[in-house]
Amino acid sequence: GDKAFAQFLTDEIKEEKKIQKHKSLPKISGGWELEVHGTEAKLVRKIAGEKITVTFNINNSIPPSAEEDTQEQQKPDEQEPELTSTPNFVVEVIKDDTKQTLVLDCHFPEDEIGHEGEEESDIFTIREVSFQPTGEADWKDTNYTLNTDSLDWALYDHLMDFLADRGVDNTFADELIELSTALEHQEYIKFLEDLKSFVKCQ
C-alpha cells in the first residue's frame, strides 16, 4: 500500500509543479517587504513616520465550495479548476510617536454579489477595528473592538480611505491574493514532498 501511495505522491508532485505559476513568490508593488514564516506571511512598509504591517496565514484560506461542485462532472482530461487563496488579513498601523497600534481586521467576502449599492467596488472589507498597545504580542480582549457590521457608512468609508492612503487598496488586495495563492501552492507541494518521504521511511 505504501509503495503505491509513494508512487501516487510522486506523480502528484510532478503535476503540481507543472501547473505552478510562480517559481518564486510574486512581488507586491509599492515597496512592501515580505517575510514568510511557514504558512504565515507578513508585509511591511514604512512611510513618513508610520509603519504598516499586513499579516495573513494561508491555512484554511481556500474557500470550500470550489471543490465539491466540480468533482462529479469533471472529464478526465479537463484541467482542475484553479484554486485561489483568499486569506483574512490584519493591517496594523503604528505611528512613531504613539504607544497605540491601530489594528484593522480585513477579509474577502465570500459572496461578492451580496452587497448592494456602491460597495461592490471594494474586493475586501474591514471586519473589526481596535487599538492595541504597540509592541505587545498578546492582544487584550479588554480593549474595545469596533465591529463594522453596524457602523456608520461614512466612518467606514473614511477607514477604507485611510487604508488606501497607506497602500492597502484593491490593487494591493489583488496582489495579496496572488501572493497568497502562490505561497499556498508552494506549501502544498512541500507538504506532498514531506508526505512522500514520510511514507517511504521504513
Side-chain angles (χ1 to χ4, degrees):
D2 283 4
K3 261 208 186 87
F5 191 9
Q7 187 50 52
F8 167 78
L9 287 168
T10 305
D11 297 342
E12 195 68 11
I13 291 163
K14 264 201 208 99
E15 281 307 301
E16 289 297 331
K17 282 190 168 160
K18 233 192 287 177
I19 59 171
Q20 193 174 17
K21 273 214 285 245
H22 302 279
K23 291 291 169 261
S24 60
L25 293 174
K27 294 261 184 289
I28 295 218
S29 54
W32 294 88
E33 283 170 36
L34 173 65
E35 298 169 24
V36 180
H37 305 283
T39 58
E40 189 174 86
K42 185 182 195 172
L43 292 154
V44 183
R45 181 174 189 235
K46 293 191 172 85
I47 44 172
E50 291 182 4
K51 179 179 166 189
I52 296 107
T53 67
V54 177
T55 321
F56 64 90
N57 195 318
I58 56 164
N59 280 335
N60 307 318
S61 65
I62 292 181
S65 58
E67 300 251 277
E68 292 142 26
D69 321 334
T70 46
Q71 235 46 38
E72 277 88 63
Q73 340 92 338
Q74 217 179 324
K75 296 181 182 65
D77 55 346
E78 254 182 63
Q79 271 295 312
E80 281 190 29
E82 269 191 33
L83 297 178
T84 307
S85 159
T86 51
N88 298 345
F89 60 98
V90 176
V91 183
E92 295 176 55
V93 181
I94 303 159
K95 289 191 187 262
D96 289 350
D97 44 5
T98 67
K99 304 212 168 13
Q100 300 269 52
T101 298
L102 182 65
V103 178
L104 302 103
D105 193 346
C106 304
H107 74 141
F108 294 100
E110 275 166 35
D111 51 336
E112 295 290 80
I113 324 117
H115 293 291
E116 290 100 55
E118 63 249 40
E119 281 182 272
E120 283 177 301
S121 56
D122 294 315
I123 61 171
F124 69 95
T125 57
I126 302 172
R127 212 166 24 185
E128 290 180 349
V129 187
S130 68
F131 278 112
Q132 297 296 339
T134 300
E136 289 195 21
D138 298 327
W139 288 7
K140 294 187 167 52
D141 287 336
T142 50
N143 287 11
Y144 179 74
T145 300
L146 174 69
N147 193 308
T148 56
D149 289 345
S150 51
L151 199 58
D152 175 348
W153 63 267
L155 175 51
Y156 181 84
D157 278 351
H158 277 297
L159 285 168
M160 287 298 275
D161 290 344
F162 177 83
L163 283 181
D165 288 343
R166 283 151 182 81
V168 180
D169 53 13
N170 279 350
T171 308
F172 173 85
D174 270 333
E175 292 180 356
L176 184 125
I177 290 176
E178 198 169 320
L179 169 64
S180 180
T181 303
L183 188 59
E184 204 284 332
H185 199 200
Q186 187 177 292
E187 285 295 315
Y188 176 60
I189 291 172
K190 195 164 146 283
F191 171 80
L192 292 177
E193 286 170 340
D194 290 347
L195 187 58
K196 188 177 92 176
S197 327
F198 186 84
V199 169
K200 280 178 130 169
C201 195
Q202 295 307 317

